[in-house]
Amino acid sequence: MSLNIEDVHKVARLARLAMTEQEAQAAHIQLANIFGLIADMQAVDTKGITPMSHAQDVSQRLREDVVTETNQRELFQSIASQVEAGLYLVPQVIE
Amino acid sequence: MLHKTFVRAPEWEIVIGLEVHTQLSTSSKIFSGASTTYGAEPNTQADAVSIALPGVLPVLNKGAVERAIKFGLAVGAHIAPRSVFARKNYFYPDLPKGYQISQFDLPVVGQGALTIQVEPLSGNGKSYEKVVRITRAHLEEDAGKSLHEDFHGMTGIDLNRAGTPLLEIVSEPDMRSAAEAVAYAKTLHSLVRWIGICDGNMQEGSFRCDANVSVRRPGAALGTRREIKNLNSFKFMQQAIEYEAQWQIDTLENGGKIHQATVLFDSDKCETRAMRSKEEAHDYRYFPDPDLLPLDISPQWIEEVRATLPELPEAKRARYVSELGLSTYDADILTGSREMAGFFEAALTSLTPIPSPAGGRGEQAKLCANWLIGEVSAQLNRDGLDMVQCPISARQLGGMLKRIADSTISNAGAKEVFRTMWSEGGDADAIIEAKGLKQVSDSGAIEKLVDEIIAANPAQVAEYRSGKEKVFGFFVGLAMKASKGKANPAQLNEILKLKLTK
Amino acid sequence: MLDSSLQQLGSALRARKISSVELTQLYLDRIAAFNPALNAYITTNAELSLAQARAADVLLAGGKAQALTGIPVAQKDIFCAKGWRTTCGSKMLENFIAPYDAHVIEQFNKAGAVNLGKTNMDEFAMGSSNETSYFGAVKNPWDQKAVPGGSSGGAACAVAARLCAAATGTDTGGSIRQPAALCGISGIKPTYGTVSRYGMIAFASSLDQAGPMARSAEDLALLLNVMTGFDSRDSTSLQRDKEDYARDLNKPLAGLRIGLPKEFFAEGLAQDVANCVHTAIAQYKQLGATVVDISLPNSKLAVPVYYVLAPAEASSNLSRFDGVRYGYRAPEYSDLTEMYEKSRAQGFGEEVKRRIMIGTYVLSHGYYDAYYLQAQKIRRLIAQDFADAFKQCDVIMGPTSPSTAFNLGEKGDDPVQMYLSDIYTIAVNLAGLPGMSIPAGFGSNGRPVGLQIIGNYFAEAQMLNVAHQYQLAIDWHTKQPNVI
């Protein structure tokens, strides 16, 4: 499972990170090294082992269905790049 | 066109599966305490969690889980003792975290089934029953809304809807026509409202359907499907599926290939077109959400929820037929919504408080059904009202039906009572009294009236006696007019017939 | 005053020997003097700090003070604090004024402590040297050519250089313990779920845990008393009774069983660090402890497992930084996708982008089972190793870091070498166990060495006892850098 330069470009696109060809080349070398380190894991026999997602084996706590939040639009939108008429603005979305 | 359809019908089979997003009727969002009320000013219900501020975390709403369990029980599904929330990763401006919290390989509701009554959409087919399998139903959060009105060439994002709880109900590809798809969607729509987990308001997006459509030669493997997104009315669903299936058949017959795609239905042009934004291949990178722990549902909790379930439409329908002797057609309409069924049962109870299975109640049930399906529904329709907004109560209607049943008023009189009740209120007895609608059942009085009419119209009497029985109606009309509509029609008919044939 | 313990400071404040305003000002003056060289703080805000100090003085005057009332505490810049710029060490949040308080901040506010400022850190806590901060590297106060460790490097530096009375940190793979070791201070990462993550900007949600950094175990206990506690807003916050972490500080250590994992003393450990750790263990024996040789056979896989799981979670956690609702937005773009790609490429630094790339890749179609799922399975094996070990011992000890502080720029071009500097700390996060580091002497280059103490779940009070008894006997923790 070696990572190639196309993978680097594909992953950068998925992650929405602009990347020049030169940056991709550099990233490729470093990522390949890191995946060399990660490869140590592949040899381990993990048949029958349950994956561990959480540090504690507890179950989800539930909230009562009650409205607790109030309108803080003004405060929240004071830190946004671009707002108008209470809306966050982004470049045109085409469906 | 007609010719083509005729030729093709046996050659192609249409295969449809539906994914329905129902907004659950909770007060607060699935992972935060923000309100879910529809129609608020943009972003005024977008709390820190809804806008995904750095550092905020999700906590699951118990009300959303309860509704999911309710649904699962209503379709006879297995409720997962442990289900897991996963992140579905993709970038979109109405998805503030860059991922949607959803359930992936361990959904809360497993396999179930829904029985549907299929009414053929075109003319002369017969209605039939079908069981559609439900693959699964899972909890997830809704996205915000993108508003494409022009903001200097930009799109506006409203995150009020972001985080509204959804139950996505996925069917097996069991439907074979637009009619079946519509019947399934309608049955599901009525069920989620019936059990009170969703308001079903399609205009407000509370019940949204995506249809996966493919075509194949009968017996062949499933064809490549295209998904029609966001069908927000049953009419559009029917049109979209019909168009899409025909397009796929035409494409294949012309030697083309179907490519998996997501399409939108343009209701103005009545056609489907591929979505541009979805062209790029997706890789959602699902993984269990580390911020949320596994959702455990105990058998006790399931039983508690089961106890809150109302009698389901299917059971009610069967009971109306077996216990009340109603036709399946009537039973179907009366169980179309919980409000309708509730109204029917309440009216019937006030009409005949003690159920007597031995007899009598069937007739009264039929009377009640006729009025609800006929006059009441028509009047609601004319006034653009829902059952819940009905200006007359079930008790009022029952009171009036009682007077029909005991022959106090004629059908014509009843219509008059009903009109008055609808516009002015009041109970049936008071209206009958005030308007003098009590019908005359005194045979002496009716005989006297008939005698006078026979005496005054010798020519018509002769006609009748010579075999022209059509003239009978003429006499009924005169008698009714003379009695100001109050003569008991059955009695009048009897007496007239007797005197004319003498 | 600068060398007083928190207990002593609290007493002085309550006795009105010094006011909180005076104490806060003293530290602000020191920060003004020394921070330009050390770069331990990203943001100070004298107005906000002094306002809190004045409020604390009112409480103190009214006799309503708690243990930490009036004490200036430096907050890692990963915690949202309402009205404070909260950058997480990133250009992405360079101008982000947090609109709400993290649970940790609320807890300190309720205790009447003073927020002295926001400490420097590796960008989004991704780093082991503090060199990935957008706001520049932090210098190790023991030797300004050296790194302070990371990611809570600013906090460790501030505590060591007496630029605060105490500090907070967060630890995803060693980010409290490793900088504590490299800067010669004490730090504890409690059991996962003990401190609420609400308002703490997420790196890897299933591993992130906040904890205190201070000069002694005794101080850590007081800080932990404030920071911990159930929070309904964090689903992973554990519902447990409030405990007093100082309750066992004075217990004798006789009979304590210390486990020494052979894997922690194998190849890769610098000799001077090994010497210090062995000396410390010998001192523990003198205090009545016994030593047990144990093995954590899967711990060698902790680094690879961590570099799958942490980046995977991070790649998703950092998707919210898209330039729409807050944070950096690129000045020029032609469409939506370009806005995302440029804002994120310009707003994130190299290490963050690298980890987003790793995480995106390991979760992507076709690789999930081989990487992510496999890593989660080995994570369970690693946790099981600890469970087995704790059947034989009460605490586990070893080095915190394989070497003393390395030089600035030394590992800059080699991420793999950098990642290996957390080789002894990462397994603890994967298991969710509590871990701490206390000073245990100095290496051949005069830079501090840390002793790592790992406890069983919820054994913080015991670990603090173990650390405190050592600090009563040996005074490494009182040493301070003479550069200042």
Side-chain angles (χ1 to χ4, degrees), chain C residues 322-336:
Chain C
D322 60 3
V324 176
R325 298 160 315 286
Y326 48 79
Y328 179 80
R329 184 187 282 201
E332 283 172 21
Y333 43 83
S334 59
D335 60 18
L336 179 70

Side-chain angles (χ1 to χ4, degrees), chain C residues 130-148:
Chain C
N130 226 300
E131 292 166 296
T132 73
S133 170
Y134 173 68
F135 301 92
V138 178
K139 310 289 163 49
N140 191 315
W142 293 91
D143 182 343
Q144 296 194 27
K145 292 191 299 295
V147 302

Side-chain angles (χ1 to χ4, degrees), chain A residues 31-81:
Chain A
L31 290 176
N33 284 338
I34 294 164
F35 278 97
L37 173 78
I38 292 171
D40 286 356
M41 200 180 76
Q42 304 297 348
V44 182
D45 180 7
T46 53
K47 217 189 288 163
I49 309 288
T50 312
M52 179 171 166
S53 297
H54 297 281
Q56 310 282 344
D57 186 20
V58 279
S59 55
Q60 178 62 34
R61 188 163 20 84
L62 300 171
R63 263 186 43 238
E64 289 303 317
D65 179 23
V66 189
V67 175
T68 53
E69 300 304 306
T70 51
N71 175 21
Q72 297 194 75
R73 184 174 80 180
E74 205 176 320
L75 174 64
F76 290 162
Q77 295 199 335
S78 67
I79 49 174
S81 302

